[in-house]
Amino acid sequence: MTYCTNCGAECPDDAKFCGKCGHALRGETPAVDLAQRPAHSAVSDAQTEQTLWEGRPSDLGDQIRTGMLMNNVHYKLTSQRLLITTGLIGKKTEELELVRIKDVALEKTAMDRMMGVGTILIYSSDPTTPEIRLEDVKDAEKVKDLLRGAIRAEKEHHGTRYREDL
């Protein structure tokens, strides 16, 4: 089963276009996109970065865990990278290229399950951020699957192959 990098929907392996949003899969270019693209556009569809998902830690989880009503973390998943922005006045953005992600895991405590949230753990080859935690993510299973599909698509686009380090 493959996943659409535009909307995250599951698509059959032999599909050329997403059945949900119509986005091209595996480098296929629909005629409609070519007709609507400006003549001066030199960037191909595979190179354009698209936002797949944006979210914040659940406010309810933040209140229970810290007693604070202020939430100053923002997650953004694009077709090429994961961005985590923190800070209220001064902002810091951590950026991780999807091709550097080695593994993704999901944690759900009993409280998380009751609140409908989870923590997504991301392990990467990035030396500055070898492990990232996306805390209190709503519909964490769906977001994890969307992330997994985007990672696979980006690695396939770059020709990256999986290899165990022995």
Side-chain angles (χ1 to χ4, degrees):
M1 195 60 65
T2 59
Y3 294 89
C4 176
T5 58
N6 186 46
C7 69
E10 289 186 12
C11 302
D13 289 331
D14 59 343
K16 293 184 179 183
F17 303 101
C18 175
K20 183 176 178 184
C21 71
H23 185 72
L25 304 173
R26 288 186 218 80
E28 296 290 332
T29 307
V32 176
D33 285 352
L34 289 174
Q36 293 176 349
R37 180 185 297 158
H40 66 277
S41 175
V43 179
S44 72
D45 289 340
Q47 294 174 336
T48 57
E49 187 171 19
Q50 300 171 350
T51 300
L52 304 177
W53 173 81
E54 290 188 66
R56 303 178 161 279
S58 168
D59 290 332
L60 182 59
D62 197 33
Q63 291 171 23
I64 290 171
R65 293 186 207 307
T66 64
M68 297 176 63
L69 297 175
M70 188 171 18
N71 186 345
N72 59 3
V73 179
H74 182 260
Y75 306 131
K76 182 176 181 180
L77 173 63
T78 72
S79 56
Q80 297 176 359
R81 57 199 170 134
L82 175 67
L83 298 108
I84 302 167
T85 304
T86 57
L88 185 60
I89 297 172
K91 297 281 187 182
K92 174 187 167 195
T93 300
E94 182 65 43
E95 190 173 309
L96 178 62
E97 295 290 328
L98 296 182
V99 295
R100 299 196 81 172
I101 295 176
K102 295 193 295 187
D103 198 14
V104 179
L106 177 65
E107 282 183 356
K108 291 181 100 177
T109 65
M111 182 66 78
D112 288 344
R113 290 176 54 206
M114 288 190 302
M115 295 182 337
V117 298
T119 299
I120 300 173
L121 301 165
I122 300 167
Y123 303 98
S124 76
S125 60
D126 188 332
T128 60
T129 53
E131 183 179 323
I132 293 177
R133 296 175 63 88
L134 304 182
E135 302 271 351
D136 296 325
V137 176
K138 293 178 187 171
D139 295 325
E141 295 90 358
K142 290 180 183 177
V143 175
K144 181 186 77 70
D145 289 341
L146 180 64
L147 175 62
R148 181 180 174 271
I151 293 166
R152 290 178 60 121
E154 188 67 0
K155 286 184 176 185
E156 184 176 309
H157 172 70
H158 287 283
T160 305
R161 300 286 180 247
Y162 175 77
R163 187 182 94 179
E164 284 282 338
D165 293 328
L166 301 174

